[in-house]
Amino acid sequence: AMKTILGVSGSLIKQTREANGNIDENAEMEMMIKALRVNTISKLTTSDLQLFNGIISDVFPGITAPDISHEKLEEAIKEVLKEKNLLVIDVQIQKILQFYEALNQRM
């Protein structure tokens, strides 16, 4: 798991450097948090997620990192759910996006 997290965070840092040039230490920590979330959140229960977020805030004090967003994919998911006459539930969409991220890091 640690190798995966380091690989994902390294890829995020590399992509950001290529797009924006040098990045500061806080930006690197934000990317590390994103990598930890991508690799871990889909495997946690709701109560464990709260504990995980507490640990992250203790390890990276003062650093907040927004979730990796996939706006186009999220819209496509909502559209398909509506076409199939299924309920659009935000938690379900988040789990689908987490699954997508998990698949991406393994390929």
Side-chain angles (χ1 to χ4, degrees), residues 91-103:
V91 174
Q92 178 184 23
I93 292 170
Q94 289 304 314
K95 285 295 181 185
I96 294 168
L97 293 173
Q98 290 167 6
F99 180 65
Y100 173 77
E101 281 297 329
L103 287 175

Side-chain angles (χ1 to χ4, degrees), residues 54-72:
I55 292 169
I56 291 296
S57 65
D58 288 346
V59 173
F60 300 99
I63 305 295
T64 56
D67 290 331
I68 297 172
S69 70
H70 300 285
E71 294 171 7
K72 290 181 182 179

Side-chain angles (χ1 to χ4, degrees), residues 13 16 23-33 63:
I13 291 169
T16 304
I23 55 174
D24 64 6
E25 187 176 307
N26 284 346
E28 286 188 14
M29 285 192 266
E30 286 177 13
M31 288 174 225
M32 182 65 85
I33 292 170
I63 305 295

Side-chain angles (χ1 to χ4, degrees), residues 2 6 11-13 15-16 18 22 25 35 39 52-55 58 64-66 73 81-82 92 97 99 101 105:
M2 184 61 109
L6 292 173
S11 294
L12 287 170
I13 291 169
Q15 289 171 1
T16 304
E18 288 173 356
N22 286 336
E25 187 176 307
N39 191 52
F52 175 77
N53 286 331
I55 292 169
D58 288 346
T64 56
L73 177 59
L81 289 172
K82 288 176 185 175
Q92 178 184 23
L97 293 173
F99 180 65
E101 281 297 329
Q105 67 176 285

Side-chain angles (χ1 to χ4, degrees), residues 74-92:
E74 189 171 342
E75 289 303 314
I77 292 167
K78 288 178 182 178
E79 186 178 316
V80 169
L81 289 172
K82 288 176 185 175
E83 286 175 8
K84 301 290 183 184
N85 293 320
L86 299 170
L87 293 175
V88 176
I89 302 169
D90 288 336
V91 174
Q92 178 184 23

Side-chain angles (χ1 to χ4, degrees), residues 24-51:
D24 64 6
E25 187 176 307
N26 284 346
E28 286 188 14
M29 285 192 266
E30 286 177 13
M31 288 174 225
M32 182 65 85
I33 292 170
K34 287 179 184 180
L36 285 164
R37 286 183 181 163
V38 164
N39 191 52
T40 309
I41 287 179
S42 64
K43 301 169 189 161
L44 299 176
T45 63
T46 303
S47 60
D48 288 342
L49 179 58
Q50 292 172 345
L51 294 171

